[in-house]
Structures are given as structure tokens and as C-alpha cells.
Amino acid sequence: MSHPESSTPIVRCEVDFTQRTEYHHGMEAIKAAHKLLAEATFTPTLPDKGYTNRTLYVNVGTREIMEKPVTQQMKDIFLGGRGFGLWHLWNAVTPATRWNDPANEIIISPGPVSGTTQYAGSGKSLVVTLSPQTDIPIDSNVGGYFGPLLKFSGFDALELQGKADQDVILFIDGQKGVIRIEAAPLEPVDSHVLAEVLTRMYAEDDADRVNISVVSTGAGADHSLIGMLNFSWWDHRRGCVRLKQAGRGGIGTVFRDKRIRALVCRGPVVKGGLNNPADPETIARTGIKFHKEMRANDDSQCKMRRNGTAHIVEIMDAYDLLPTHNFQYGSHPDTHRIASPVWQARCTQETVDGCWYGCSMACAKGADGLVLKTGPYKGHTVTVDGPEYENAAGLGSNSGVFDPDDLLELNFYCDTYGICTITWGTLTAFVMECYQRGILNLERTGGLDLTWGNAAADLEMMHQMARGEGFGLIAGQGIHKMKAIFEARGWGDPKLMADIGMECKGLEYSQYMSKESLAQQGGYALTNKGPQHDEAWLIFMDMVNKQLPTFEDKAEALYYFPLFRTWFGLNGFCKLPWNDVVPSDNASTSEPAKVPEHVQNYVDVFSATTGIRIDKDELIHQSAKVYNFQRIFNIRMGKGTRSFDIPPYRSVGPVTREEYESRAERYDKQMMEEIGVDPAGRTTDEKIAITRDHRMKRYNSLVDAVYLRRGWTPDGVPTLARIQELGLDAFPEVVEIVKNHGG
Amino acid sequence: MITVNGDKAAWSPGMSVQDVLRARNFKFPLLVIKVDGALVQPRDYAATPVPDGAVVEVIHLMSGG
Ligand code: SF4
């Protein structure tokens, strides 16, 4: 599908990127109201070969503060990051634990490589908790400085457990070796205010602000199941805090349920080498090689430094992959209004935007000078982080919103209210389609006209949710629970809602159309945590390149890529420098899709950091241990088997007549050539049924092939042989779970 | 006729790699293109002819979140 480009020239916005509404007035009174509830001291230490070899446990309910050793087994099996998070969570909860029990934990772990300043994209943290949306572990990979500063203070992970009886702030001072739990009764609620106030409050002087990172959420997390966490860093060029999001699965909701208002870490002054790697020369050499490649190739490839991930908006549209009107369609005539030239003009280009030191990809763009039109900050001038592709697609095309300023305002409020932009985009698309089909109406929404593209109603629904009232409160429950609420009220056909509600395992889909890529249907629904594209993005390989013609080919891709990408989250790497730029000779390698030179870079940087020599096969083996452990964790929590890997039909094929008829030529051709049925003379309903039957059979054959390749039973349980191969039989409960489920 | 990523496609005299990309609306910047097995560099897309009966592979790499 292609559409004529807009003839409107893109005008560069002339915005002073240092100007915005400031919020630190009255800070002294806020600080004076703090009350010390608990304090502990520790000896700050720097990592040795990427590990500090201890973690920090804080129970905000009992106010216990404790150091724990990192064992050799933890490193050998779980590596760090998401692996450490899952291991701590496993030990903290039982199969009966739910997200809002005090036993549930939030674990933040940066991983052994995180904090490296020489190789691009090496400052991520992983956050793990039991999700209020899915009741299984959720993991989220997030930038900002908190994780690296935590490690440089002396801890490989932070475990948060318990529930406080009042709003608290946890302060970790990695310069002075002090940890404090403070009652914080007067703090502002929303992240863009709170992070600024706390950064200024805990910094000892202006120069110290870069050493502070705040983890916070906002009012949305108090009243919904879709809360996220904002991780801050001080942007000294702009003179403000910036935020990166641990978005998926409701981690912010758990945070507020524990009555944590914020985490503040004050780390040491960051410089190269704080990670004390085993072989600093190799890291420096590999980093410089990548920086040169970035400088040479970015302008002719993805232009990440100018556009960030939003560079693919118009590309997704061109390939009929941009979700539009709740994933009904893959393109829209107005896409040019939210395409990358618009964001290039709207985002400040006169500054470098990395979410950790040394990232030459620097894609963390900021749109400055937005004057808000609605909500509690109406009239304020703010900086919006992004928008990233997911936000442009989810808050934009998928809900029919094509006005860039509306989209930025939605993005801003999602961030400051502490709710996941991807989830909000997908659930708004769902309720708008419910409105289109009469499942919802003005009376049922309490007066919200949720017509496609009505950004004012979309924003009002979000403000309602943040205030804890009206239809916004229902929307904030997420699609899975909304379907049950609508059904209980007799508002619509449950089968239709099951088909068009784009969630799996309780989590909303991220923003890619998977209808024409069987591999991506699996790439979404066969994920451990729910349908997020960060395990596997196979649409081009499968649908466009036709590189995965057989079930076995697709299964191989769904074996390799999820394991490869899991590894980023074990170490604290960002995924983007892997394949949003490629070496000039990448095309002449045997497997260009894997970007072999970059894979070798990762092998080299890991080996040079930890002193543990690995190769690209060992990298996959490291991931497989954690990936299979997470699968077994899901089974332990009562999910994780085949029936939970079934996608909503909207992600597999056309649900409605309009959808079928909009691409009738494509579907009719497939019916003739792939199914062997002549579509001539058949009604659209008959053709939809035939297509559905074929596609669901095909999906099930894919699941069989993937489970086999992963070493799982036909019910999706890792076999005993597979867990022995991975060393997971060291844990008796793992063995028991597998045996009890026929593994 | 030519074959593009396994699909039959119309051929016309003087057709270049650039023409194939335009005809298929292939706009993605990270491509690996081979014509009858021979790699074509991005700078040569416009100047590289695609002969009748050619097998063209336009491999899209991945990018994005
Ligand atoms: S590529 Fe972007 S998201 Fe990744 S580390 Fe760099 S600035 Fe952050």
C-alpha cells in the first residue's frame, strides 16, 4: 500500500530547548516533611569484572535493609539482569502469590556489562515482577542511569519486597554508603515533576545532578493495572530530567501498591572503566569500531541519531504493517502526518540524546516546547521524550490519531502518569473499535465519544483514569479484564471481543501487524511474558523476504532470535545498536539478518568485561537457561502451557467483512494458491471462515514445530532432558514442575 | 518475467534494480540485494540492469524497537 506524500513542506520548529515549566519551587517544604523511617550503612564498592558480587534487599513493609551475596551458581545460570530478577522472584513467591501480595517483589538489575561507557547501548537495567495483568513474571528493559549507578554504588541488583504503610522514598547514596527509607507525605505525584524535584533535592550541588537517578511513576499507576516505571537521568544540556520507561505489564502498579513513591540513587561520578573489566583494551577497540561505523553509516541507513525508532513509521505503512484502527488495517492515507520527517522537525536536533553515557546511536530524542492543551498541566511547556515508533503507531495510527501535537500530548501524559504507551495505544484502539461496533456507546462510556481519531476523548479517558474515575478507570484495567467486564454487563458478543481484543496472556500487543507473517504470529504469542516484539521480530524475513518457507525454518528463527535477544537483557545491553545500523560489508556475510560482526562484538565485549570467554553458541546457551527457567516459572504460576500461547484471531487473519474486503485480492489469491479453494461465487463470510480454518491449523502446526525445536513437549513444557542439558536440574522444584506436567 | 523474493513479477526492457524496488514499494533502507546470486551495492541500484528471467532477492534486514 502506498499513499501520496504530503505536499506540505516540513518546517523546522524553532524551539529553545532549554525552556520549560519548572517545578522545584516549594521543594524545601516537601523535604522538611520527610521523616526517616530506617537507615543502614554499607561500604560502597565498584564492580570487579562487571559484578559487585552482592545485591541489596529492602522490605518497605518491615523496613528491613540487607545485603545478600551473589553466588557462583547465580552467575553461572542466571548471568545477571533479567536472570537475577527471575531468580530472586522465584525465591520470593509461591504459586499462590499474586501481584498485590506483600511477598511479590520488584527487582531491578543492570547486568554485568551494564555501565560500560565505551560500547554503545550498554547502560540498561532489567525490571522483573509478578504482573497484575498476566499473573506471571514480566520483564522490562529500560534505559536511564539508575541501574548503572546502583551497580557503581555496590549492588548487582535491588530487591524490593513488602508494602509500606505510607508513601516512602528509598534513597541509596553510593557516595556516602547510606541507605534510607523516608516517609514522603507531600511529594508531587506525576513523574515529570517528581523526578525533577527529587533530582534537585538529593543532589548536593548543581554538578551532582548527573549522579542522581530517580525511579518513579505517576497518578495513572494508582488507579490502573497498566502502570509503568520512569527511570530518569539529568540532561545537563537541556537542564532538565529525562525519562525512559520500564513499560510493559504493570510494574508501576506494583510499585504504588507497595506505596513506594520513588527510588533515588546517588552514584559516584561516572567515568570509563568503573566496571573494572578484565580486558579494557578490547572493549575500547570494539567500541571505537562501532562508533566509526555509526558515524559512517547512520545517515544512509536508519538515521537513528535524527529520528530515533520513529524512522520506521512510514516504512511500516508502505509494507501494510502499521497497525491502524485496532490492527484492522496496515496503512492509512494520513500516515505522512506522523511520519519521521515530522518528528525530525519536531524533535530537537541541536543536542545529543543518549540514555546512557557513550551511546553513539543516541536515539533518545526529545520534543521540546510542547504547550499542553489539557489536563492538570494545561498551559505548561514541557519536553516529551520521544515519540518512539511504538508511541507513534499505538497512540497514533492504531487509534486513528494523526495530529502530531495530539500524539505528543498523549505521549507526555502516558509518561508522567506512569502508564505504558504501548498498552494504552492498544487498549484505546480496542475501545474505539468497540465504540465503532456498538459494544460501547455514549451512555456506556459516560459521555466519551470514542470515535476513531478523537484525541480529545482519548486524553479525557486518560485523565479520568489518572483521577480514578469514570470510564477511564475501566480502561485502565486493560483489555483482558475489560472483555470480562463488558461481557458481564451484556454489552457485546464475547466471541467478537475475543477476536478483536489484541491481548495474549493478559498483555496487550505491541504495534506491528502480524496477519501476513505466520512466524510473527508465533513471535508474539509464543513469548514468555506476553506479546511484545522484543523476543522476535520476523515479519520481513518471513513475509517480505520469504526466507522462512517451512515450519521448520520458522521454528528455527523462533528458537534463535528469542534466545539471542534475551541475552541483551541478561547483560544490560540495548537491542538497537545490534541491527539499527549494520557494517558496510554486512551484505556479503553468510547470515546478514543476524549481523554477524555485531554478534562478535557482543561476544568480545562480554568476554572482555567478565573474563569469561564465550563464543556465539555459548551466548545462546546462556540465554536458553534463563528462557527455559522463565517458561517453567510461568508453569509454576499456573500458566505457561499451550493453551496460553493462542493468539486473538485479529493477529492471525481478517475478523470482519470490512477487513477481508479491504484486501480481498490478497486473501482470494491465497485461498486459491495456498488453500486450494476457488473463492469464486463464495460470500465474504464463507471466505472468512475458510481462511480462518486454514490459518489456525497453520498456526497450530507452527506451535508443534517451535515446541519441538525448543525441546518442549507438545503442551509446551520443557522436557527433563532439555533442563538437564541446561543445568536447571540443579533446582529440585524445577524438576518437580516439569515432571508433573509431563516434561 | 522475473522472480522477486519468490514471486513472479513483470519485466520490461532496461529495467534496473532501482525500478524493481520502486515497483514493489520496497522503501526500507537496510537491504541486501542479489541479482542472480550477485550482490548489488546500494550505490549501484540505479545502474544495475535486471535481465529478463532474473532471480532477484531483496533481503530486508530488521530494525526498530
Ligand atoms: S540506542 Fe537509544 S535507547 Fe539504546 S542505549 Fe542508545 S540512546 Fe538509549
Side-chain angles (χ1 to χ4, degrees):
Chain A
M1 300 280 143
S2 76
H3 299 290
E5 301 276 311
S6 164
S7 55
T8 316
I10 302 298
V11 180
R12 178 83 192 91
C13 296
E14 296 303 331
V15 171
D16 179 350
F17 67 84
T18 65
Q19 295 301 308
R20 68 193 50 76
T21 304
E22 295 194 341
Y23 297 100
H24 49 275
H25 314 292
M27 200 173 80
E28 288 312 314
I30 297 170
K31 188 176 176 184
H34 282 200
K35 196 173 134 221
L36 184 65
L37 301 177
E39 184 172 84
T41 58
F42 70 101
T43 308
T45 53
L46 289 172
D48 175 35
K49 302 188 190 71
Y51 289 100
T52 65
N53 295 311
R54 61 181 172 170
T55 62
L56 175 61
Y57 170 88
V58 177
N59 190 312
V60 293
T62 63
R63 300 173 190 167
E64 183 184 6
I65 301 171
M66 181 171 75
E67 291 180 16
K68 289 184 183 176
V70 170
T71 63
Q72 191 58 45
Q73 185 186 53
M74 278 172 72
K75 290 200 228 176
D76 290 345
I77 294 188
F78 299 102
L79 214 63
R82 172 172 154 191
F84 278 13
L86 289 165
W87 175 238
H88 283 307
L89 189 63
W90 174 278
N91 291 318
V93 303
T94 71
T97 308
R98 288 296 168 259
W99 70 274
N100 52 357
D101 288 329
N104 189 18
E105 290 194 343
I106 297 171
I107 302 103
I108 301 173
S109 176
V113 175
S114 186
T116 302
T117 57
Q118 292 91 343
Y119 194 81
S122 304
K124 295 283 187 170
S125 309
L126 272 292
V127 192
V128 173
T129 193
L130 279 185
S131 161
Q133 291 195 271
T134 64
D135 293 322
I136 54 176
I138 187 84
D139 58 272
S140 204
N141 182 327
V142 58
Y145 290 4
F146 188 87
L149 293 182
L150 175 75
K151 187 160 78 166
F152 296 151
S153 297
F155 302 106
D156 290 330
L158 168 63
E159 272 179 274
L160 297 163
Q161 199 177 35
K163 281 194 196 193
D165 56 4
Q166 58 196 307
D167 284 350
V168 297
I169 287 174
L170 174 70
F171 176 50
I172 302 162
D173 190 334
Q175 293 196 21
K176 294 188 173 151
V178 177
I179 297 162
R180 291 203 298 265
I181 303 174
E182 299 172 3
L186 300 182
E187 252 59 17
V189 171
D190 294 325
S191 271
H192 80 292
V193 184
L194 182 58
E196 179 182 330
V197 166
L198 296 183
T199 299
R200 290 172 186 266
M201 187 186 293
Y202 286 92
E204 298 213 331
D205 52 40
D206 292 359
D208 196 31
R209 287 180 196 154
V210 291
N211 306 318
I212 302 281
S213 179
V214 177
V215 177
S216 65
T217 182
D222 280 314
H223 303 294
S224 76
L225 299 181
I226 63 170
M228 59 73 172
L229 292 180
N230 285 298
F231 281 51
S232 81
W233 76 98
W234 180 256
D235 181 338
H236 65 92
R237 296 183 183 88
R238 284 186 172 84
C240 70
V241 289
R242 304 288 307 284
L243 303 172
K244 275 280 186 183
Q245 292 76 35
R248 308 302 331 263
I251 301 171
T253 302
V254 180
F255 194 78
R256 285 302 297 143
D257 185 63
K258 295 185 176 303
R259 296 202 64 178
I260 302 172
R261 182 57 76 197
L263 312 173
V264 182
C265 185
R266 175 170 181 252
V269 177
V270 173
K271 50 187 191 294
L274 288 191
N275 221 9
N276 285 316
D279 174 4
E281 288 76 25
T282 295
I283 293 178
R285 192 175 60 246
T286 313
I288 289 167
K289 183 177 67 160
F290 181 85
H291 295 329
K292 284 184 180 163
E293 178 190 321
M294 194 65 210
R295 234 186 349 262
N297 295 351
D298 184 47
D299 285 344
S300 61
Q301 294 182 3
C302 295
K303 303 184 181 65
M304 291 293 283
R305 292 172 301 180
R306 297 189 69 77
N307 296 331
T309 56
H311 77 92
I312 57 173
V313 171
E314 60 270 33
I315 291 165
M316 290 299 109
D317 184 88
Y319 290 81
D320 208 22
L321 293 170
L322 183 74
T324 304
H325 292 186
N326 195 28
F327 300 87
Q328 292 184 75
Y329 314 111
S331 63
H332 194 280
D334 287 336
T335 296
H336 63 269
R337 297 178 61 204
I338 57 166
S340 65
V342 176
W343 305 121
Q344 203 176 113
R346 195 65 189 73
C347 289
T348 298
Q349 301 293 347
E350 291 77 21
T351 182
V352 181
D353 279 313
C355 73
W356 175 241
Y357 296 91
C359 185
S360 46
M361 188 161 265
C363 77
K365 304 309 297 175
D368 295 289
L370 181 75
V371 180
L372 298 167
K373 293 177 292 194
T374 70
Y377 305 104
K378 184 176 175 179
H380 292 207
T381 303
V382 296
T383 292
V384 188
D385 290 276
E388 298 184 32
Y389 164 74
E390 296 290 334
N391 308 351
L395 304 173
S397 57
N398 217 0
S399 312
V401 173
F402 291 97
D403 180 288
D405 278 0
D406 286 343
L407 208 154
L408 282 174
E409 184 145 344
L410 285 160
N411 195 154
F412 170 80
Y413 272 113
C414 277
D415 287 352
T416 201
Y417 284 157
I419 58 170
C420 173
T421 48
I422 294 175
T423 301
W424 186 262
T426 300
L427 74 81
T428 303
F430 170 69
V431 295
M432 285 186 167
E433 187 170 352
C434 287
Y435 198 84
Q436 174 197 332
R437 300 191 185 284
I439 298 168
L440 294 174
N441 54 38
L442 271 183
E443 191 192 336
R444 290 172 182 175
T445 63
L448 291 176
D449 172 11
L450 293 171
T451 308
W452 296 114
N454 189 347
D458 190 348
L459 279 159
E460 180 51 25
M461 183 166 72
M462 199 187 298
H463 296 317
Q464 284 183 356
M465 184 210 55
R467 295 192 299 264
E469 62 185 41
F471 186 76
L473 203 52
I474 295 174
Q477 300 300 297
I479 293 174
H480 186 76
K481 294 205 166 46
M482 268 196 283
K483 288 188 297 188
I485 293 168
F486 296 175
E487 187 185 342
R489 295 181 182 186
W491 284 359
D493 174 6
K495 272 173 62 194
L496 177 65
M497 290 192 285
D499 281 350
I500 67 174
M502 286 292 281
E503 59 91 8
C504 180
K505 301 183 175 79
L507 188 72
E508 284 74 8
Y509 272 66
S510 68
Q511 309 299 336
Y512 296 98
M513 294 285 285
S514 55
K515 274 184 205 159
E516 299 311 314
S517 167
L518 176 58
Q520 188 58 32
Q521 291 159 24
Y524 269 133
L526 298 174
T527 46
N528 267 329
K529 70 179 165 212
Q532 170 77 348
H533 56 279
D534 66 349
E535 277 200 11
W537 198 93
L538 301 173
I539 300 180
F540 281 163
M541 280 185 93
D542 189 35
M543 177 186 109
V544 184
N545 304 341
K546 314 268 172 59
Q547 287 172 295
L548 308 172
T550 67
F551 289 116
E552 288 69 30
D553 294 326
K554 294 181 208 300
E556 184 58 36
L558 284 167
Y559 173 78
Y560 175 82
F561 286 104
L563 293 183
F564 179 67
R565 293 181 66 153
T566 291
W567 193 79
F568 292 133
L570 305 183
N571 281 291
F573 279 121
C574 173
K575 167 264 157 195
L576 298 172
W578 162 48
N579 66 356
D580 278 68
V581 66
V582 298
S584 304
D585 64 353
N586 187 55
S588 51
T589 61
S590 58
E591 294 181 290
K594 291 183 179 173
V595 199
E597 183 176 318
H598 288 182
V599 175
Q600 189 58 43
N601 286 354
Y602 289 117
V603 164
D604 292 344
V605 172
F606 174 86
S607 299
T609 300
T610 61
I612 303 163
R613 292 229 63 83
I614 62 164
D615 59 18
K616 61 183 171 46
D617 298 326
E618 177 59 20
L619 179 159
I620 296 298
H621 188 63
Q622 287 178 330
S623 282
K625 296 176 196 178
V626 177
Y627 193 86
N628 281 273
F629 181 80
Q630 189 166 352
R631 181 77 177 182
I632 294 162
F633 202 154
N634 287 353
I635 298 168
R636 184 194 193 208
M637 300 309 292
K639 295 194 171 180
T641 45
R642 188 172 184 130
S643 63
F644 297 96
D645 288 345
I646 304 300
Y649 186 63
R650 173 61 59 73
S651 85
V652 177
V655 174
T656 64
R657 287 180 199 157
E658 309 92 273
E659 268 172 281
Y660 191 99
E661 284 163 7
S662 74
R663 273 85 177 147
E665 194 187 337
R666 174 194 297 163
Y667 296 133
D668 284 354
K669 186 166 177 267
Q670 288 173 358
M671 193 171 295
M672 190 66 125
E673 293 176 1
E674 292 175 24
I675 312 176
V677 172
D678 188 348
R682 296 183 187 274
T683 66
T684 301
D685 286 348
E686 284 170 343
K687 292 194 286 188
I688 289 172
I690 292 165
T691 301
R692 183 173 187 141
D693 182 58
H694 168 70
R695 289 190 175 207
M696 285 313 296
K697 279 187 186 139
R698 210 176 54 168
Y699 178 79
N700 275 307
S701 299
L702 174 77
V703 175
D704 289 337
V706 172
Y707 285 176
L708 188 66
R709 178 65 186 93
R710 290 182 178 178
W712 296 356
T713 68
D715 196 30
V717 179
T719 61
L720 197 54
R722 181 65 174 140
I723 66 162
Q724 283 166 343
E725 200 174 85
L726 297 170
L728 294 176
D729 56 334
F731 308 114
E733 196 185 348
V734 166
V735 175
E736 196 187 314
I737 290 167
V738 163
K739 280 186 176 166
N740 288 345
H741 288 82
Chain B
M1 291 294 262
I2 57 172
T3 306
V4 182
N5 288 356
D7 297 333
K8 293 286 174 218
W11 177 82
S12 56
M15 194 176 213
S16 69
V17 168
Q18 189 72 62
D19 296 331
V20 173
L21 296 181
R22 203 171 297 127
R24 292 294 297 260
N25 201 27
F26 283 162
K27 293 186 170 175
F28 189 59
L30 294 181
L31 298 175
V32 176
I33 301 185
K34 291 181 181 170
V35 178
D36 290 328
L39 192 65
V40 183
Q41 295 298 337
R43 62 178 176 274
D44 300 328
Y45 289 169
T48 303
V50 175
D52 193 12
V55 174
V56 184
E57 295 165 72
V58 185
I59 303 303
H60 293 56
L61 303 183
M62 297 174 244
S63 75

